[in-house]
């Protein structure tokens, strides 16, 4: 089982930036599509971005397009989510998950996709003045 660890969350003012990272504790992410998700209190978990195994397909939910950027580190050691122009509506626990997708150029932001079997513990992002 892949053990994922998220980091980089914290408290930031509106308009600020954070960079979240997702890494596997004992492996690389070379063979996995990676999804980022978030869950705010009282709300369902939602998909915000994903990157395919080959790194060529990256998708974003509409509300973060132009503000968030997802990219892989060299050697597939980690996947990063750069978040800019944060708003209070971005406040949530952020999770990454790994999908051993049989199609290297595809990814999904559906948190209910059963291939997302490995999840991190989450990192809290709070946007507040």
């Amino acid at each position: 089982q892949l053990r994922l660890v998220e980091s980089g969350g914290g408290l930031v003012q509106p308009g600020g930036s954070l960079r979240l990272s997702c890494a596997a504790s004992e492996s690389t992410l070379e063979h996995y599509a990676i999804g980022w998700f978030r869950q705010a209190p009282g709300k369902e978990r939602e998909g915000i971005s994903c990157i395919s195994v080959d790194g060529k397909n990256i998708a974003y939910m509409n509300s973060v397009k132009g503000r968030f950027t997802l990219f892989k580190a060299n050697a597939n050691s980690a996947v990063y989510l750069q978040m800019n122009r944060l708003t209070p509506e971005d406040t949530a626990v952020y999770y990454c998950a790994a999908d051993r997708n049989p199609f290297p150029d595809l990814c999904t932001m559906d948190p209910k996709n059963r291939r997302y079997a490995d999840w991190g513990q989450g990192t809290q992002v709070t946007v507040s003045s």
Side-chain angles (χ1 to χ4, degrees):
Q1 185 177 3
L2 191 68
R3 293 178 57 200
L4 298 176
V5 179
E6 303 98 336
S7 61
L11 173 64
V12 63
Q13 292 186 343
S17 299
L18 285 173
R19 178 177 292 185
L20 306 183
S21 66
C22 173
S25 60
E26 299 174 355
S27 179
T28 71
L29 301 174
E30 180 178 4
H31 302 295
Y32 297 87
I34 299 297
W36 276 97
F37 307 87
R38 67 187 182 187
Q39 188 165 17
K43 294 186 177 181
E44 291 190 354
R45 188 169 298 187
E46 62 180 357
I48 55 176
S49 186
C50 68
I51 185 168
S52 59
V53 173
D54 63 8
K56 294 180 180 179
N57 184 18
I58 304 173
Y60 301 94
M61 69 181 295
N62 286 337
S63 66
V64 306
K65 283 181 180 178
R67 300 189 299 123
F68 291 11
T69 303
L70 182 61
F71 59 99
K72 288 190 174 185
N74 291 336
N76 290 289
S77 59
V79 173
Y80 298 98
L81 183 67
Q82 176 67 40
M83 307 188 298
N84 298 328
R85 303 200 312 271
L86 287 161
T87 73
E89 288 69 35
D90 295 315
T91 296
V93 178
Y94 283 68
Y95 302 88
C96 66
D99 167 16
R100 192 181 282 271
N101 198 311
F103 300 100
D105 58 343
L106 298 179
C107 68
T108 176
M109 294 186 288
D110 180 3
K112 297 180 181 178
N113 190 299
R114 293 183 179 181
R115 289 199 306 271
Y116 280 126
D118 300 299
W119 291 78
Q121 82 290 347
T123 185
Q124 177 70 47
V125 172
T126 302
V127 185
S128 175
S129 56

